[in-house]
Structure formats: C-alpha cells, structure tokens
C-alpha cells in the first residue's frame, strides 16, 4: 500500500518534469542564415517545412508591426506579429506534406491591419 501511495505522488511529478524539459525553444534566426526566408524593411519571415512553422520577426524599432503573408493551395493568409522589436511569432500550421507554399515578409500598422510594404515572395514545400 505504501508503494502505491508513493507511485501516485512520484508519477505526476516525473511527468511534469518530463514535459518541462521538452518545452519549445525560441527560434534561432542565426541557424538559417540571412538569405534564407523573406525580408522586408523591419521584418523577416521563415517557413520551416518540418512541422510547418511560420516564424515572423520584428527586427526594426520603427513602431510598425511585422507581418507575413503565406499562400498555399487556394489559401492566402496574413499573420501579424504586433509584439514589438526583437520578438518572433511562431505560427504552427497544418499544411499537407508536399504542398508548395509562398510567403512574404511585410511591415504595417496592426491597428487597422494596414500593410505598408513588403519584400519579395519566397517559395518552399511543406
């Protein structure tokens, strides 16, 4: 009986520690090189095909938000990162493997959702 009580206490603690140890890490922009992904004045976007993550970086203290547009299939979606300079938004997407995607880095005014400018479109495959 004592062993059963101990396992009922120890197992939840071990499970919690295991989950805490596998928490997601911040995206390392230096790991992909500057020319990987899309760039614009004040923002940077990268699509990671393994797991379908779209990362949106605000890299300019200009008062504008970083924005990313992504297209695949018949979908055109806009994602905003309004969290300020030196922040990255991680959008976990669900795109079928082998699907061609196009994405862009932009900047704009989050209030009113007005895009002010964008860089060039970049392609990839999920």
């Amino acid at each position: 009986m004592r062993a059963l009580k101990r396992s009922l206490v120890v197992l939840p603690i071990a499970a919690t520690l295991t989950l805490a140890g596998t928490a997601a890490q911040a995206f390392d922009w230096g790991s992909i090189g500057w020319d990987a992904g899309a760039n614009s004045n004040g923002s940077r976007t990268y699509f990671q095909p393994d797991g379908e993550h779209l990362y949106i970086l605000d890299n300019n203290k200009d008062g504008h938000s970083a924005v990313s547009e992504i297209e695949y299939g018949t979908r055109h979606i806009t994602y905003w990162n309004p969290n300020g300079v030196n922040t990255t938004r991680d959008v976990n997407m669900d795109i079928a493997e082998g699907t061609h995607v196009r994405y862009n880095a932009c900047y704009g005014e989050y209030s009113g959702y007005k895009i002010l400018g964008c860089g060039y479109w970049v392609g990839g495959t999920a």
Side-chain angles (χ1 to χ4, degrees):
M1 185 70 161
R2 179 178 273 177
L4 177 60
K5 285 182 183 178
R6 188 177 332 191
S7 66
L8 291 175
V9 171
V10 172
L11 287 176
I13 293 170
T16 302
L17 292 174
T18 301
L19 289 175
T22 59
Q25 302 271 333
F27 183 69
D28 178 16
W29 285 96
S31 70
I32 63 166
W34 186 255
D35 58 348
N39 297 287
S40 75
N41 184 24
S43 71
R44 189 172 175 201
T45 299
Y46 177 69
F47 176 74
Q48 181 178 342
D50 183 24
E52 299 92 41
H53 286 263
L54 184 70
Y55 296 100
I56 308 162
L57 169 69
D58 185 334
N59 61 353
N60 192 352
K61 190 175 182 177
D62 58 4
H64 300 302
S65 294
V67 187
S68 180
E69 297 177 299
I70 186 166
E71 295 179 343
Y72 59 96
T74 59
R75 301 190 68 168
H76 178 102
I77 307 168
T78 303
Y79 291 102
W80 290 79
N81 175 5
N83 300 320
V85 67
N86 296 325
T87 63
T88 298
R89 179 177 177 194
D90 175 358
V91 181
N92 188 357
M93 306 189 76
D94 186 16
I95 303 173
E97 190 171 324
T99 301
H100 180 71
V101 299
R102 287 181 357 127
Y103 59 97
N104 199 353
C106 305
Y107 63 97
E109 298 298 329
Y110 183 67
S111 60
Y113 300 110
K114 182 178 181 181
I115 295 176
L116 300 175
C118 295
Y120 293 100
W121 287 91
V122 176
T125 303

